[in-house]
Amino acid sequence: MPIKNRFSEMLPEITAWRQDFHAHPEILFDCHRTAGIVAEKLREFGCDEVVEGIGRTGVVGVIRGKSSGSGRVVGLRADMDALPIHEATGVDYASKEAGKMHACGHDGHTAMLMGAAKYLAETRNFDGTVVVIFQPAEEGGGGGDEMCRDGMMERFGIQEVYGMHNWPGNPAGEFAIRPGAFFAATDQFEISVEGRGGHAAKPHQCVDTTVVAAHLVVAMQTIVSRNADPTMEAVVSVTSFVTESQAFNVIPQHVTLRGTVRTLSTETRELAETRIKALAEHTAAAFGAQAHVDYRRGYPVMVNSETETEYAAAAARAVSGDCAAAPLVMGGEDFAYMLEERPGAYILVGNGDTADVHNPAYNFNDSVIPAGCSFWVELAEQRMPAA
């Protein structure tokens, strides 16, 4: 199946939904307006069941096929939340909310899954059940985890689950995927270094936390270069170095370092945490200082199931004629939580030559909508062929 003609006909309608969401971005779990519109539309489409409030502000819709002999239940997920960024696109439907914008294309993800839901509710040309999942708080809030903790998979009997993200730089409407580890685990750390503050002209009477922290920043670079297996990707970045005093003549009593760790395996994740704590403790001790590490685990590694990756690739090839091999991504994605609960896969759809995600000039490419909607429908119909 190439792009369905029905989605070319629906493009103005779906684009209008997308641009409305774009103009009214909502952050994290505060997706009440977006979720309300999604739920209202799903009911208008004739979904068999629409449930709000899953994972706080998530919405789930159930669409049953013409028959259900296969007993199969397939989940399709889109994220709804925006980012705390001042928009700089200049489009006439730009954000009306100061300091908030859809800079990652979740407005497009939501609109495409809504378009697919409308089509599937109209045609029901499959043997089984489609569950459409609209998730809040992907951008740091763990909304996918919240929906799973609310028992979504068990409540709706979901057996396999799929997600999709637009990808700037890839040709518009073309797909890419990879099996296994795909997006990185995303952890954070905060290291508090305490020494003995004093006058900058009397360093011999102090324990200089600036020097200690500087050595620690350099030492942490050896985690990737000398501790981690060279064949296993990892990133350790110190992104903030804050001294207690900003004065020119004060050696500060405290310095705080903050940063992020990105890994693609459990073993490397464990290693990075262990080494950061050890380096902080012993580097500080070597200078007569003390260090405390607050290490916070974030999203887990997102791992595509082998079999379901091929299912998704087959649907993508049916729509666009090809499905490329995607690169490893050191960014995080909380669809990882759903993939820990059920087998499934996450696929990228090209957004064309646009600004990158999380950039104030980014905008979702509406020409991608027919391909994205067609992928969802093709996947559902391939996984549950009509009896």
Side-chain angles (χ1 to χ4, degrees):
M1 174 197 95
I3 291 172
K4 285 189 175 292
N5 292 333
R6 181 77 174 99
F7 290 121
S8 296
E9 297 167 2
M10 291 171 62
L11 182 57
E13 179 183 22
I14 301 173
T15 298
W17 300 338
R18 202 284 293 183
Q19 294 182 0
D20 176 70
F21 293 143
H22 189 92
H24 301 91
E26 296 175 300
I27 304 295
L28 294 172
F29 290 98
D30 186 23
C31 288
H32 300 284
R33 181 185 185 275
T34 305
I37 292 171
V38 168
E40 179 184 2
K41 291 294 183 183
L42 293 180
R43 292 187 179 101
E44 286 179 11
F45 301 160
C47 290
D48 298 289
E49 186 178 358
V50 178
V51 180
E52 300 176 70
I54 306 291
R56 303 197 215 178
T57 48
V59 180
V60 173
V62 177
I63 307 168
R64 299 186 180 92
K66 290 179 180 178
S67 57
S68 58
S70 72
R72 186 166 288 146
V73 182
V74 174
L76 312 177
R77 171 269 200 181
D79 37 19
M80 300 186 291
D81 59 319
L83 283 157
I85 294 175
H86 291 280
E87 182 164 350
T89 61
V91 297
D92 56 8
Y93 52 87
S95 172
K96 300 181 185 299
E97 306 292 333
K100 302 177 184 179
M101 76 167 287
H102 271 292
C104 204
H106 297 186
D107 48 350
H109 302 167
T110 298
M112 289 190 294
L113 187 55
M114 287 171 61
K118 180 174 183 178
Y119 180 93
L120 290 167
E122 287 176 354
T123 60
R124 300 181 185 264
N125 190 34
F126 55 94
D127 178 34
T129 302
V130 171
V131 178
V132 288
I133 302 162
F134 295 86
Q135 179 207 306
E138 189 282 323
E139 297 289 359
D145 188 31
E146 294 266 355
M147 295 189 84
C148 290
R149 287 176 181 272
D150 269 0
M152 176 183 69
M153 298 296 182
E154 296 79 12
R155 177 172 178 177
F156 299 99
I158 298 169
Q159 298 165 349
E160 55 193 77
V161 65
Y162 300 86
M164 177 166 52
H165 203 293
N166 77 96
W167 208 248
N170 285 10
E174 295 188 15
F175 297 90
I177 198 169
R178 68 180 300 119
F182 192 175
F183 278 56
T186 58
D187 298 339
Q188 299 174 347
F189 60 84
E190 181 173 294
I191 303 173
S192 300
V193 180
E194 182 171 0
R196 185 185 308 119
H199 200 291
K202 301 177 180 180
H204 60 293
Q205 296 178 357
C206 305
V207 175
D208 192 337
T209 51
T210 303
V211 172
V212 176
H215 275 269
L216 183 52
V217 170
V218 174
M220 283 194 290
Q221 306 313 304
T222 65
I223 295 172
V224 174
S225 67
R226 288 296 177 268
N227 300 137
D229 183 333
T231 66
M232 303 297 290
E233 290 79 2
V235 175
V236 177
S237 292
V238 179
T239 57
S240 175
F241 189 125
V242 179
T243 60
E244 185 178 52
S245 172
Q246 301 299 308
F248 289 100
N249 61 347
V250 173
I251 290 175
Q253 179 92 2
H254 295 93
V255 169
T256 301
L257 303 176
R258 296 187 180 91
T260 186
V261 176
R262 305 300 173 99
T263 53
L264 284 162
S265 73
T266 301
E267 295 76 16
T268 309
R269 192 182 199 185
E270 297 281 354
L271 170 71
E273 180 176 358
T274 299
R275 293 301 299 146
I276 285 173
K277 290 178 177 177
L279 286 168
E281 176 187 353
H282 296 295
T283 302
F287 289 91
Q290 294 180 320
H292 171 74
V293 179
D294 179 13
Y295 194 95
R296 306 164 205 158
R297 292 212 168 189
Y299 297 167
V301 181
M302 189 186 74
V303 182
N304 276 352
S305 307
E306 296 274 347
T307 301
E308 283 68 26
T309 296
E310 183 48 43
Y311 294 151
R317 286 191 290 268
V319 172
S320 68
D322 191 20
C323 186
L328 290 167
V329 178
M330 299 310 288
E333 169 55 66
D334 85 336
F335 187 62
Y337 292 111
M338 296 191 187
L339 291 178
E340 287 187 332
E341 295 274 333
R342 295 292 185 273
Y346 192 76
I347 196 166
L348 308 179
V349 60
N351 201 56
D353 186 17
T354 66
D356 203 358
V357 294
H358 294 216
N359 184 295
Y362 167 85
N363 193 18
F364 180 82
N365 184 347
D366 290 322
S367 72
V368 172
I369 288 172
C373 293
S374 295
F375 168 80
W376 285 133
V377 171
E378 181 68 16
L379 180 63
E381 292 180 350
Q382 282 194 12
R383 294 298 299 125
M384 299 176 288

PDB file of all heavy atoms in Angstrom, residues 23 27 60 122 193 217 229 232 240 243 247 250 279 284 292 304 323 350 371 382:
ATOM      1  N   ALA A  23      -0.222  25.977  18.118  1.00  0.00           N
ATOM      2  CA  ALA A  23      -0.492  27.312  18.656  1.00  0.00           C
ATOM      3  C   ALA A  23      -0.797  27.297  20.148  1.00  0.00           C
ATOM      4  O   ALA A  23      -0.710  28.335  20.811  1.00  0.00           O
ATOM      5  CB  ALA A  23      -1.658  27.949  17.901  1.00  0.00           C
ATOM      6  N   ILE A  27       2.864  21.762  28.557  1.00  0.00           N
ATOM      7  CA  ILE A  27       4.105  21.181  29.069  1.00  0.00           C
ATOM      8  C   ILE A  27       3.812  19.989  29.983  1.00  0.00           C
ATOM      9  O   ILE A  27       2.876  20.010  30.776  1.00  0.00           O
ATOM     10  CB  ILE A  27       4.914  22.244  29.848  1.00  0.00           C
ATOM     11  CG1 ILE A  27       5.193  23.471  28.973  1.00  0.00           C
ATOM     12  CG2 ILE A  27       6.217  21.647  30.386  1.00  0.00           C
ATOM     13  CD1 ILE A  27       6.073  23.218  27.779  1.00  0.00           C
ATOM     14  N   VAL A  60      -6.681   7.090  25.940  1.00  0.00           N
ATOM     15  CA  VAL A  60      -6.604   5.822  25.227  1.00  0.00           C
ATOM     16  C   VAL A  60      -7.922   5.602  24.482  1.00  0.00           C
ATOM     17  O   VAL A  60      -9.010   5.772  25.048  1.00  0.00           O
ATOM     18  CB  VAL A  60      -6.353   4.649  26.195  1.00  0.00           C
ATOM     19  CG1 VAL A  60      -6.436   3.314  25.458  1.00  0.00           C
ATOM     20  CG2 VAL A  60      -4.997   4.798  26.867  1.00  0.00           C
ATOM     21  N   GLU A 122     -13.404   4.305  10.621  1.00  0.00           N
ATOM     22  CA  GLU A 122     -14.299   4.313   9.459  1.00  0.00           C
ATOM     23  C   GLU A 122     -14.290   2.966   8.744  1.00  0.00           C
ATOM     24  O   GLU A 122     -15.345   2.429   8.371  1.00  0.00           O
ATOM     25  CB  GLU A 122     -13.860   5.393   8.463  1.00  0.00           C
ATOM     26  CG  GLU A 122     -14.140   6.812   8.874  1.00  0.00           C
ATOM     27  CD  GLU A 122     -13.575   7.809   7.854  1.00  0.00           C
ATOM     28  OE1 GLU A 122     -12.875   7.371   6.903  1.00  0.00           O
ATOM     29  OE2 GLU A 122     -13.829   9.017   8.014  1.00  0.00           O
ATOM     30  N   VAL A 193      30.928  19.571  46.034  1.00  0.00           N
ATOM     31  CA  VAL A 193      32.295  19.509  46.553  1.00  0.00           C
ATOM     32  C   VAL A 193      32.423  20.531  47.680  1.00  0.00           C
ATOM     33  O   VAL A 193      32.112  21.716  47.503  1.00  0.00           O
ATOM     34  CB  VAL A 193      33.326  19.813  45.446  1.00  0.00           C
ATOM     35  CG1 VAL A 193      34.739  19.746  46.011  1.00  0.00           C
ATOM     36  CG2 VAL A 193      33.159  18.850  44.283  1.00  0.00           C
ATOM     37  N   VAL A 217      36.299  17.192  36.822  1.00  0.00           N
ATOM     38  CA  VAL A 217      35.758  17.292  35.463  1.00  0.00           C
ATOM     39  C   VAL A 217      36.662  16.540  34.484  1.00  0.00           C
ATOM     40  O   VAL A 217      36.197  15.769  33.633  1.00  0.00           O
ATOM     41  CB  VAL A 217      35.597  18.762  35.032  1.00  0.00           C
ATOM     42  CG1 VAL A 217      35.268  18.851  33.541  1.00  0.00           C
ATOM     43  CG2 VAL A 217      34.513  19.452  35.845  1.00  0.00           C
ATOM     44  N   ASP A 229      33.885  -0.157  27.741  1.00  0.00           N
ATOM     45  CA  ASP A 229      34.255  -0.950  26.572  1.00  0.00           C
ATOM     46  C   ASP A 229      34.191  -0.039  25.344  1.00  0.00           C
ATOM     47  O   ASP A 229      33.159   0.588  25.081  1.00  0.00           O
ATOM     48  CB  ASP A 229      33.257  -2.111  26.443  1.00  0.00           C
ATOM     49  CG  ASP A 229      33.583  -3.065  25.300  1.00  0.00           C
ATOM     50  OD1 ASP A 229      34.204  -2.632  24.310  1.00  0.00           O
ATOM     51  OD2 ASP A 229      33.186  -4.240  25.389  1.00  0.00           O
ATOM     52  N   MET A 232      31.126  -0.060  23.172  1.00  0.00           N
ATOM     53  CA  MET A 232      29.836   0.281  23.773  1.00  0.00           C
ATOM     54  C   MET A 232      29.729   1.795  23.913  1.00  0.00           C
ATOM     55  O   MET A 232      30.526   2.418  24.625  1.00  0.00           O
ATOM     56  CB  MET A 232      29.690  -0.386  25.139  1.00  0.00           C
ATOM     57  CG  MET A 232      29.847  -1.899  25.097  1.00  0.00           C
ATOM     58  SD  MET A 232      28.560  -2.713  24.097  1.00  0.00           S
ATOM     59  CE  MET A 232      27.144  -2.459  25.141  1.00  0.00           C
ATOM     60  N   SER A 240      27.421  21.918  33.948  1.00  0.00           N
ATOM     61  CA  SER A 240      27.290  23.076  34.825  1.00  0.00           C
ATOM     62  C   SER A 240      28.372  23.024  35.900  1.00  0.00           C
ATOM     63  O   SER A 240      28.602  21.972  36.506  1.00  0.00           O
ATOM     64  CB  SER A 240      25.901  23.102  35.484  1.00  0.00           C
ATOM     65  OG  SER A 240      25.788  24.149  36.420  1.00  0.00           O
ATOM     66  N   THR A 243      30.237  27.876  41.318  1.00  0.00           N
ATOM     67  CA  THR A 243      30.939  28.149  42.567  1.00  0.00           C
ATOM     68  C   THR A 243      30.047  28.946  43.504  1.00  0.00           C
ATOM     69  O   THR A 243      29.185  29.714  43.069  1.00  0.00           O
ATOM     70  CB  THR A 243      32.232  28.937  42.307  1.00  0.00           C
ATOM     71  OG1 THR A 243      31.907  30.171  41.669  1.00  0.00           O
ATOM     72  CG2 THR A 243      33.171  28.142  41.422  1.00  0.00           C
ATOM     73  N   ALA A 247      32.960  36.270  43.663  1.00  0.00           N
ATOM     74  CA  ALA A 247      33.939  37.326  43.916  1.00  0.00           C
ATOM     75  C   ALA A 247      35.311  36.953  43.349  1.00  0.00           C
ATOM     76  O   ALA A 247      35.665  35.776  43.261  1.00  0.00           O
ATOM     77  CB  ALA A 247      34.060  37.580  45.419  1.00  0.00           C
ATOM     78  N   VAL A 250      37.788  35.485  46.436  1.00  0.00           N
ATOM     79  CA  VAL A 250      37.278  34.479  47.371  1.00  0.00           C
ATOM     80  C   VAL A 250      37.475  33.077  46.788  1.00  0.00           C
ATOM     81  O   VAL A 250      37.096  32.819  45.636  1.00  0.00           O
ATOM     82  CB  VAL A 250      35.776  34.700  47.682  1.00  0.00           C
ATOM     83  CG1 VAL A 250      35.238  33.547  48.522  1.00  0.00           C
ATOM     84  CG2 VAL A 250      35.577  36.029  48.401  1.00  0.00           C
ATOM     85  N   LEU A 279      35.281   8.359  41.547  1.00  0.00           N
ATOM     86  CA  LEU A 279      36.154   9.472  41.190  1.00  0.00           C
ATOM     87  C   LEU A 279      35.881  10.704  42.042  1.00  0.00           C
ATOM     88  O   LEU A 279      36.820  11.405  42.464  1.00  0.00           O
ATOM     89  CB  LEU A 279      35.981   9.817  39.708  1.00  0.00           C
ATOM     90  CG  LEU A 279      36.609   8.833  38.713  1.00  0.00           C
ATOM     91  CD1 LEU A 279      36.126   9.125  37.302  1.00  0.00           C
ATOM     92  CD2 LEU A 279      38.138   8.895  38.785  1.00  0.00           C
ATOM     93  N   ALA A 284      38.299  14.197  45.516  1.00  0.00           N
ATOM     94  CA  ALA A 284      38.126  15.173  46.592  1.00  0.00           C
ATOM     95  C   ALA A 284      39.050  14.857  47.765  1.00  0.00           C
ATOM     96  O   ALA A 284      39.723  15.747  48.321  1.00  0.00           O
ATOM     97  CB  ALA A 284      36.665  15.201  47.036  1.00  0.00           C
ATOM     98  N   HIS A 292      29.956  14.826  47.545  1.00  0.00           N
ATOM     99  CA  HIS A 292      28.726  14.028  47.633  1.00  0.00           C
ATOM    100  C   HIS A 292      28.097  13.968  46.250  1.00  0.00           C
ATOM    101  O   HIS A 292      27.948  14.997  45.576  1.00  0.00           O
ATOM    102  CB  HIS A 292      27.733  14.654  48.610  1.00  0.00           C
ATOM    103  CG  HIS A 292      26.375  14.002  48.577  1.00  0.00           C
ATOM    104  ND1 HIS A 292      26.131  12.758  49.119  1.00  0.00           N
ATOM    105  CD2 HIS A 292      25.204  14.416  48.022  1.00  0.00           C
ATOM    106  CE1 HIS A 292      24.870  12.437  48.926  1.00  0.00           C
ATOM    107  NE2 HIS A 292      24.285  13.416  48.253  1.00  0.00           N
ATOM    108  N   ASN A 304      14.261  -1.848  20.741  1.00  0.00           N
ATOM    109  CA  ASN A 304      13.291  -2.386  19.791  1.00  0.00           C
ATOM    110  C   ASN A 304      13.382  -3.910  19.741  1.00  0.00           C
ATOM    111  O   ASN A 304      14.478  -4.473  19.603  1.00  0.00           O
ATOM    112  CB  ASN A 304      13.552  -1.841  18.385  1.00  0.00           C
ATOM    113  CG  ASN A 304      12.916  -0.488  18.141  1.00  0.00           C
ATOM    114  OD1 ASN A 304      12.143   0.009  18.957  1.00  0.00           O
ATOM    115  ND2 ASN A 304      13.250   0.120  17.010  1.00  0.00           N
ATOM    116  N   CYS A 323      12.855   1.257   3.762  1.00  0.00           N
ATOM    117  CA  CYS A 323      12.999   1.599   5.171  1.00  0.00           C
ATOM    118  C   CYS A 323      14.487   1.510   5.490  1.00  0.00           C
ATOM    119  O   CYS A 323      15.070   0.421   5.467  1.00  0.00           O
ATOM    120  CB  CYS A 323      12.183   0.662   6.063  1.00  0.00           C
ATOM    121  SG  CYS A 323      12.192   1.154   7.804  1.00  0.00           S
ATOM    122  N   GLY A 350      11.068  10.750   8.270  1.00  0.00           N
ATOM    123  CA  GLY A 350      11.819  11.951   7.915  1.00  0.00           C
ATOM    124  C   GLY A 350      10.966  13.207   7.924  1.00  0.00           C
ATOM    125  O   GLY A 350       9.817  13.198   7.466  1.00  0.00           O
ATOM    126  N   ALA A 371       2.099  10.238   4.943  1.00  0.00           N
ATOM    127  CA  ALA A 371       2.968   9.068   5.119  1.00  0.00           C
ATOM    128  C   ALA A 371       2.848   8.515   6.524  1.00  0.00           C
ATOM    129  O   ALA A 371       2.769   7.291   6.722  1.00  0.00           O
ATOM    130  CB  ALA A 371       4.420   9.443   4.815  1.00  0.00           C
ATOM    131  N   GLN A 382      -1.584  -4.944   8.454  1.00  0.00           N
ATOM    132  CA  GLN A 382      -0.661  -6.067   8.244  1.00  0.00           C
ATOM    133  C   GLN A 382      -0.614  -6.989   9.454  1.00  0.00           C
ATOM    134  O   GLN A 382      -0.530  -8.207   9.304  1.00  0.00           O
ATOM    135  CB  GLN A 382       0.743  -5.546   7.937  1.00  0.00           C
ATOM    136  CG  GLN A 382       0.950  -5.055   6.522  1.00  0.00           C
ATOM    137  CD  GLN A 382       2.431  -4.871   6.195  1.00  0.00           C
ATOM    138  OE1 GLN A 382       3.315  -5.310   6.929  1.00  0.00           O
ATOM    139  NE2 GLN A 382       2.704  -4.231   5.068  1.00  0.00           N
TER     140      GLN A 382
END
